[in-house]
Amino acid sequence: MTFRLLLPLGLMFSVAFSAVVSWPARAAGDRFALVIGNAKYPDAEAPLKEPVNDARDLTDELKRDGFSVETLENAGGDAMRRGLDRLYGKIKPGSVALLFFSGYGIQSSRQSYMIPVDAQIWQEADVRRDGIGLEQVLQEINSRGAGVKIALLDASRRNPYERRFRTASAGLAPVIAPSGTLVMYSAALSAVVTDGGRDRSLFVQELLKEIRVPDLTAEETLNRTRVGVTRASRSEQVPWISSSLAEDFSFVPGNGVRPTPPAESSVAPAPAPAPTPTQVVVAPPVPSPLPPAPPAPQPTPVQKVDTPPPPPPVAPAPPAPAPSPVIANVAPAAPAAPAQDPFADDPTIKSLSAKIAANPEDAGALYRRGQVYASKGAYAQAIRDFDDTIRINPKDVEALNNRCWARTVVGELQPALRDCNEALRLRPNFVDALDSRGLVNLKSGAVKNAIADFDAALKINPRLTSSLYGRGLAKQRNGAAQEGALDIANAKAMDPNIVREFEAYGVR
């Protein structure tokens, strides 16, 4: 399955600047903000460094600018929904309502979703179930009578959930927002940003710098932020803005005097994040798993060559029972068992293993555990789980596709090809299987077949980064250097991690 969906160009909004008018005075308490920083996702390899620090810094600034702010850190779904309900309840006709979210975001069915830390996402339907849709939030804020609605999302990160599938993340989708709304994403539509290991994001750093400049409309503030981020990142990160503001609004009025924060804002309520620290368990990979990806898997022939040599004649049968105690003392093989699965204590795997122990024929749990193993680079365990899934249901095209991909990564190319062919026989034009089979053909040197598979996948989803990059490599190997370079450049612009991902698959 894929979360990256074709976005019609007609949905992309341009920034419309209003005529300059005097900044309308607003009473203290007319500005309300909900600031969310989600960093500790159990499915990620490690907590994100930026969101909580960014949320705290922005909270401090918004309070100085007269906002009544509630801040949530590492919030689960219930906590985020309760926080939004409290925000809705404060809004009065003509109020300013601001939402900031930093964490993981996913686009699905042309909508952008903010992901709580406790989301359980295995397929696209789970995004709509556990995620919180930005459009619905803005519509609800609008229905309460807010005059100015501002949404700032620093969520264009490549998230760990797609690592359970063959395809990869593609950032956020354009938003269809009500009139009087200003929306800004930290990166371009359908683009992802690589976290640079900083404690604070470039996006929020530039945003805070511009918010502090008096006598700027909110649109000017965000547009200057976009320019600052673009310059500082050397055009690798270009934020996206959509505006339909009907009136000018400034974070700091033209006289440079900040509005007086309402008394309640001095107490920053953070009621709901309490449960989430229990979910601070981490293990799976975040930007792109870097599995060892053994390139040329021909170990089996080597083992066959080892068998013929003549050790049998040299091995005399031990005659007496006396040596048996010696053998017992010399061969303590028991300790090897615990080290067999280094991921046994991973919370997700542990939970799925418990389900499988209770019901060994639970195909869903086996498939999901296989996905998690694959995301960690434990391909042997993943393939075993996919084997069992397919044994239970030979027509499970998702399991066939995932086993095809896992086998391709470890170099079992002929079995992988059979899996992909079977998945496509059962579901013709299955885009993920076309993409996986393209990788099989690319690794095996059948570059014309690889180009055909990637072409077919890109006709279904033109923003499938792995197919675009794979086609670029295949074209270069087929002699079309310029065409290949263009595909590769476009793929890298959409996903800066794509080169490392293919290198991890043993493809350069």
Side-chain angles (χ1 to χ4, degrees), residues 243-268:
S243 176
S244 62
L245 287 186
E247 60 176 281
D248 281 337
F249 164 75
S250 295
F251 290 97
V252 180
N255 58 11
V257 179
R258 297 175 186 269
T260 307
E264 61 180 288
S265 71
S266 60
V267 181

Side-chain angles (χ1 to χ4, degrees), residues 8 79 231 322 349 381:
R231 284 177 179 165
I349 288 178
Q381 292 99 315

